[in-house]
Amino acid sequence: MSHERVHFGSKLGIILATAGSAVGLGNVWRFPYMAGENGGAAFIVVYIACVLLLGIPCMVSEFIIGRHGASNTARAYTKMAAESLQASSAQASPSALRRSRALSKAGALIGYLGVLTGFLITGYYAVVSGWCLQYVYASSVGQLKGDASYVTDYFQQFSSSLFMPAFWTVAILLICHVVIIRGVRHGIERASKVMMPALFVLLLIIVAASCMLPGAAAGVRFLLEPNFTALNGNVFLSALGQSFYSLSIAMGCICTYASYYSRQTNLLHSAVQISFVDCLVAILAGLMIFPAAFSVGVSPDSGASLVFITLPNVFNQAFGSWPVLGWVISIAFYLLLSLAALTSLMSLHEVATAFFFEEFHITRGQGALIVTAVTAVIGIFCSMSLGAMPGLSLGGRSLFDVFDFVTGQIFLPVGGFLTCLFLGWYVPKSIVRDEFTNWGTTSRRFFSLYLFLIRYLCPLAILVIFLHQLGWLI
Ligand code: PHE
């Protein structure tokens, strides 16, 4: 069966869908607490530098491979590898040819790694996304009202119980499924065009409410006044890891979405615009959380429990004298979180759906069904490992943490590293240049800089974080 390749319908659709993948729990849930733990604004400056020098080049690289291949991530890498082999085999000696063949096979494998990473992370990401849905429900029926210890217990009991987290995991995967089976234009693009502006409006409303609280200025200062004495090696590594995670790099998502881009899409401009939106949302999320946290005297560096424990407390205390406003804001906040999670989950789901659909010659609906079913099972197990079935662990980590660790800390850097080497050193420069400049029709001003970054700086920086993580392991 051959499939007619679809494209996104508009430039705005491209930006919103890809920014939808990038803007996710990472921005609202992970970024603020990382900034809080690593010195506030100083962290943000380092983070922006990482996005500019490393994130954007890696994103452009995935765009190039995805659009060039116009197919799912595994096949896109395979095609690029095969074409590069062909180009290099013309004047090669037999030994060079053998080496080139081996490298071409290795290149194709990077694509499979991307699909696998995306697939595995979907289930675990769905669990946290499901928590957001539960919190929309809980805040709307007033279940989150209570003192600090009540809110802590609520989260602990909920996240470790058997049924509800599994229910919400499946629910969010089903919502995602419904969008995905409608296809790229009518499903993903249309949903992103509604959800992303909605997310942005909600965000602005909550930022305004948060900044108007008494004593909020201290939180704004904490976020926006750089304190460079807080910077150390760890801060750089956290910023780098966070920038890759936040831009959805090395999970197949960017590459898969780029396969729906047209030949007119300016890849560098798109990467810059998407990264800008992603950074903006992350910083606004900080502006939403810190002023409110400072206003009620809650420490901003409360780790991952920030949005599920600290914030309900903040909503209860900060809006104590305006309970209805507090109620509306907290529903709006969890709705925002759910939307952000959903658009990212869609992109993760699409990686594997496109793979099954194109490689196994089945329909899109069947491909999506396989992905939804398998990731639901993974998600349920991950969720149960947090309390209902503590036996679901490996080497002292719960299954949930294992998935987080293996995908985020191992597969992600390995995939990013290999992609840079593949495109920077193996693929002929002419192919990369043609894609970068849309076959000579757009400016090639930044091409040499881009090539330098993906050849040297990006692989080196990724290697350093990876080794650092291994150092922690030992
Ligand atoms: N970028 C998303 C976020 O910020 C997370 C994500 C990673 C989504 C990888 C898709 C793929 O939450």
Side-chain angles (χ1 to χ4, degrees):
M1 200 190 315
S2 88
H3 301 289
E4 180 73 23
R5 191 76 189 161
V6 285
H7 291 294
F8 282 123
S10 67
K11 215 171 129 188
L12 184 69
I14 285 179
I15 302 294
L16 290 183
T18 318
S21 167
V23 171
L25 296 171
N27 301 60
V28 187
W29 178 56
R30 216 157 165 248
F31 180 87
Y33 84 72
M34 293 200 78
E37 279 175 351
N38 291 306
F43 176 84
I44 298 180
V45 175
V46 176
Y47 178 79
I48 292 177
C50 288
V51 168
L52 289 177
L53 290 175
L54 306 165
I56 291 180
C58 287
M59 185 181 262
V60 170
S61 304
E62 286 198 39
F63 281 169
I64 289 178
I65 296 170
R67 184 174 69 172
H68 190 82
S71 46
N72 69 80
T73 300
R75 196 185 299 185
Y77 275 78
T78 309
K79 269 192 191 168
M80 190 64 113
E83 261 177 57
S84 309
L85 175 64
Q86 216 173 18
S88 68
S89 56
Q91 345 78 334
S93 64
S95 70
L97 196 59
R98 258 197 310 278
R99 212 184 56 219
S100 192
R101 275 210 193 101
L103 286 174
S104 166
K105 286 209 182 96
L109 282 181
I110 311 172
Y112 284 88
L113 180 73
V115 174
L116 182 70
T117 314
F119 194 49
L120 293 181
I121 212 174
T122 310
Y124 127 87
Y125 199 83
V127 175
V128 186
S129 312
W131 293 349
C132 305
L133 285 186
Q134 159 78 16
Y135 270 59
V136 173
Y137 165 76
S139 45
S140 60
V141 298
Q143 273 179 9
L144 298 177
K145 292 247 163 291
D147 61 10
S149 72
Y150 166 80
V151 172
T152 312
D153 286 350
Y154 183 90
F155 177 68
Q156 270 155 7
Q157 267 175 20
F158 160 70
S159 62
S160 60
S161 61
L162 179 65
F163 181 70
M164 284 318 278
F167 169 79
W168 290 115
T169 303
V170 174
I172 199 146
L173 279 169
L174 286 178
I175 300 176
C176 208
H177 182 89
V178 170
V179 175
I180 294 290
I181 54 173
R182 300 181 70 95
V184 173
R185 269 198 200 188
H186 297 291
I188 298 175
E189 184 170 351
R190 201 180 276 173
S192 307
K193 278 185 171 167
V194 176
M195 291 181 193
M196 290 305 284
L199 181 145
F200 205 69
V201 171
L202 285 176
L203 190 58
L204 289 181
I205 294 175
I206 309 176
V207 169
S210 167
C211 287
M212 279 177 336
L213 291 169
V220 178
R221 235 176 293 126
F222 173 77
L223 191 69
L224 299 182
E225 248 176 34
N227 167 16
F228 286 100
T229 53
L231 291 187
N232 58 33
N234 248 330
V235 173
F236 281 89
L237 298 176
S238 314
L240 184 54
Q242 169 65 14
S243 65
F244 274 41
Y245 180 84
S246 187
L247 295 175
S248 306
I249 284 167
M251 308 260 183
C253 297
I254 297 296
C255 187
T256 304
Y257 273 12
S259 72
Y260 307 122
Y261 287 9
S262 79
R263 284 167 69 101
Q264 279 79 40
T265 308
N266 185 322
L267 300 184
L268 181 62
H269 282 183
S270 305
V272 172
Q273 285 162 349
I274 291 157
S275 307
F276 175 76
V277 174
D278 191 63
C279 285
L280 186 68
V281 172
I283 293 173
L284 284 174
L287 276 179
M288 161 172 81
I289 289 170
F290 292 128
F294 272 73
S295 163
V296 295
V298 175
S299 152
D301 54 359
S302 325
S305 58
L306 181 71
V307 294
F308 295 109
I309 297 178
T310 310
L311 284 184
N313 271 324
V314 168
F315 295 136
N316 285 337
Q317 293 177 42
F319 299 98
S321 15
W322 312 282
V324 176
L325 183 64
W327 179 70
V328 171
I329 293 285
S330 88
I331 299 176
F333 174 78
Y334 291 108
L335 205 58
L336 175 151
L337 210 56
S338 307
L339 285 179
L342 191 60
T343 48
S344 296
L345 200 59
M346 274 157 34
S347 73
L348 285 166
H349 198 295
E350 177 65 18
V351 173
T353 299
F355 174 77
F356 284 118
F357 158 53
E358 289 169 359
E359 298 305 311
F360 295 109
H361 308 298
I362 52 181
T363 65
R364 190 178 173 80
Q366 288 165 333
L369 194 64
I370 298 176
V371 180
T372 305
V374 177
T375 53
V377 172
I378 296 178
I380 291 172
F381 278 120
C382 281
S383 162
M384 291 199 308
S385 75
L386 289 178
M389 282 180 74
L392 285 171
S393 65
L394 219 74
R397 292 168 191 265
S398 65
L399 200 61
F400 181 93
D401 288 339
V402 170
F403 271 93
D404 181 28
F405 179 77
V406 172
T407 50
Q409 319 244 16
I410 299 190
F411 285 8
L412 188 153
V414 169
F417 176 75
L418 294 177
T419 298
C420 292
L421 294 187
F422 176 61
L423 209 61
W425 296 98
Y426 183 64
V427 175
K429 203 166 131 182
S430 57
I431 299 186
V432 181
R433 193 195 306 114
D434 280 349
E435 288 286 344
F436 189 91
T437 62
N438 287 354
W439 297 269
T441 58
T442 60
S443 157
R444 47 180 289 184
R445 202 147 54 106
F446 292 104
F447 183 65
S448 315
L449 176 64
Y450 161 73
L451 210 57
F452 169 79
L453 291 174
I454 61 159
R455 280 189 164 175
Y456 302 100
L457 195 68
C458 297
L460 198 72
I462 302 172
L463 193 66
V464 172
I465 27 172
F466 189 57
L467 291 181
H468 184 74
Q469 277 161 0
L470 287 185
W472 275 340
L473 265 181
I474 297 163

Tab-separated table of all heavy atoms in Angstrom, residues 21-27 121 125 245-248 251 253 344 347-348, ligand 1:
chain	number	residue	atom	x	y	z
A	21	SER	N	4.315	20.558	20.523
A	21	SER	CA	5.134	19.437	20.986
A	21	SER	C	6.148	19.922	22.014
A	21	SER	O	6.348	19.314	23.063
A	21	SER	CB	5.864	18.811	19.800
A	21	SER	OG	6.854	17.939	20.255
A	22	ALA	N	6.761	21.064	21.694
A	22	ALA	CA	7.818	21.560	22.577
A	22	ALA	C	7.263	22.063	23.913
A	22	ALA	O	7.784	21.737	24.979
A	22	ALA	CB	8.584	22.674	21.874
A	23	VAL	N	6.181	22.837	23.838
A	23	VAL	CA	5.619	23.379	25.079
A	23	VAL	C	4.845	22.272	25.782
A	23	VAL	O	3.869	21.765	25.253
A	23	VAL	CB	4.660	24.549	24.767
A	23	VAL	CG1	3.921	24.972	26.017
A	23	VAL	CG2	5.434	25.706	24.183
A	24	GLY	N	5.320	21.892	26.936
A	24	GLY	CA	4.638	20.792	27.614
A	24	GLY	C	4.880	20.874	29.099
A	24	GLY	O	5.185	21.949	29.638
A	25	LEU	N	4.770	19.715	29.736
A	25	LEU	CA	5.003	19.693	31.174
A	25	LEU	C	6.388	20.215	31.494
A	25	LEU	O	6.629	20.784	32.551
A	25	LEU	CB	4.866	18.263	31.681
A	25	LEU	CG	3.462	17.684	31.514
A	25	LEU	CD1	3.460	16.201	31.825
A	25	LEU	CD2	2.499	18.415	32.431
A	26	GLY	N	7.310	20.007	30.543
A	26	GLY	CA	8.678	20.481	30.738
A	26	GLY	C	8.721	21.976	31.017
A	26	GLY	O	9.514	22.437	31.841
A	27	ASN	N	7.875	22.735	30.340
A	27	ASN	CA	7.892	24.185	30.529
A	27	ASN	C	7.236	24.593	31.832
A	27	ASN	O	7.725	25.446	32.548
A	27	ASN	CB	7.126	24.878	29.400
A	27	ASN	CG	7.710	24.568	28.058
A	27	ASN	OD1	7.765	23.416	27.661
A	27	ASN	ND2	8.174	25.579	27.368
A	121	ILE	N	8.549	6.759	26.014
A	121	ILE	CA	8.280	7.914	26.870
A	121	ILE	C	6.772	8.238	26.876
A	121	ILE	O	6.262	8.813	27.833
A	121	ILE	CB	9.129	9.122	26.429
A	121	ILE	CG1	9.481	9.977	27.635
A	121	ILE	CG2	8.463	9.966	25.411
A	121	ILE	CD1	10.435	11.097	27.325
A	125	TYR	N	4.823	9.642	30.106
A	125	TYR	CA	4.380	11.040	30.014
A	125	TYR	C	2.857	11.107	30.195
A	125	TYR	O	2.330	12.062	30.768
A	125	TYR	CB	4.781	11.587	28.636
A	125	TYR	CG	4.822	13.098	28.512
A	125	TYR	CD1	5.933	13.815	28.915
A	125	TYR	CD2	3.760	13.802	27.971
A	125	TYR	CE1	5.994	15.191	28.794
A	125	TYR	CE2	3.805	15.181	27.841
A	125	TYR	CZ	4.932	15.863	28.248
A	125	TYR	OH	4.989	17.228	28.119
A	245	TYR	N	15.167	18.548	26.489
A	245	TYR	CA	13.886	17.946	26.861
A	245	TYR	C	12.748	18.867	26.441
A	245	TYR	O	11.760	18.449	25.844
A	245	TYR	CB	13.862	17.710	28.370
A	245	TYR	CG	12.577	17.095	28.851
A	245	TYR	CD1	12.388	15.717	28.792
A	245	TYR	CD2	11.554	17.883	29.354
A	245	TYR	CE1	11.208	15.147	29.224
A	245	TYR	CE2	10.373	17.321	29.788
A	245	TYR	CZ	10.204	15.950	29.723
A	245	TYR	OH	9.033	15.397	30.145
A	246	SER	N	12.931	20.150	26.734
A	246	SER	CA	11.855	21.096	26.478
A	246	SER	C	11.603	21.287	24.992
A	246	SER	O	10.475	21.534	24.578
A	246	SER	CB	12.183	22.436	27.131
A	246	SER	OG	11.091	23.293	27.016
A	247	LEU	N	12.638	21.172	24.177
A	247	LEU	CA	12.434	21.342	22.735
A	247	LEU	C	12.053	20.020	22.056
A	247	LEU	O	11.973	19.958	20.838
A	247	LEU	CB	13.689	21.934	22.085
A	247	LEU	CG	14.056	23.362	22.531
A	247	LEU	CD1	15.382	23.786	21.922
A	247	LEU	CD2	12.978	24.367	22.145
A	248	SER	N	11.830	18.993	22.835
A	248	SER	CA	11.436	17.659	22.320
A	248	SER	C	12.478	17.057	21.376
A	248	SER	O	12.134	16.358	20.420
A	248	SER	CB	10.110	17.705	21.565
A	248	SER	OG	9.095	18.271	22.327
A	251	MET	N	13.642	12.630	20.280
A	251	MET	CA	12.576	11.674	20.606
A	251	MET	C	11.795	11.317	19.350
A	251	MET	O	10.717	10.740	19.434
A	251	MET	CB	11.591	12.283	21.594
A	251	MET	CG	12.226	12.860	22.786
A	251	MET	SD	12.099	11.715	24.119
A	251	MET	CE	12.835	12.672	25.400
A	253	CYS	N	10.001	13.254	17.667
A	253	CYS	CA	8.840	14.129	17.455
A	253	CYS	C	9.117	15.201	16.413
A	253	CYS	O	8.329	15.413	15.488
A	253	CYS	CB	8.458	14.856	18.743
A	253	CYS	SG	7.964	13.764	20.041
A	344	SER	N	1.883	17.865	23.613
A	344	SER	CA	3.164	17.137	23.560
A	344	SER	C	2.918	15.644	23.393
A	344	SER	O	3.618	14.963	22.644
A	344	SER	CB	3.959	17.352	24.841
A	344	SER	OG	4.304	18.695	24.972
A	347	SER	N	2.322	14.658	19.887
A	347	SER	CA	3.501	14.526	19.029
A	347	SER	C	4.242	13.224	19.316
A	347	SER	O	4.789	12.592	18.416
A	347	SER	CB	4.432	15.724	19.187
A	347	SER	OG	5.107	15.694	20.415
A	348	LEU	N	4.238	12.822	20.582
A	348	LEU	CA	4.894	11.553	20.920
A	348	LEU	C	4.122	10.384	20.304
A	348	LEU	O	4.707	9.442	19.766
A	348	LEU	CB	4.934	11.378	22.442
A	348	LEU	CG	5.963	12.223	23.183
A	348	LEU	CD1	5.686	12.214	24.674
A	348	LEU	CD2	7.364	11.674	22.926
B	1	PHE	N1	8.967	19.052	25.177
B	1	PHE	C1	8.012	18.483	26.045
B	1	PHE	C2	7.892	19.305	27.300
B	1	PHE	O1	8.443	20.346	27.417
B	1	PHE	C3	8.338	17.098	26.460
B	1	PHE	C4	8.505	16.224	25.336
B	1	PHE	C5	9.690	15.615	25.161
B	1	PHE	C6	7.497	16.056	24.458
B	1	PHE	C7	9.876	14.844	24.081
B	1	PHE	C8	7.660	15.290	23.374
B	1	PHE	C9	8.866	14.688	23.197
B	1	PHE	O2	7.203	18.885	28.181
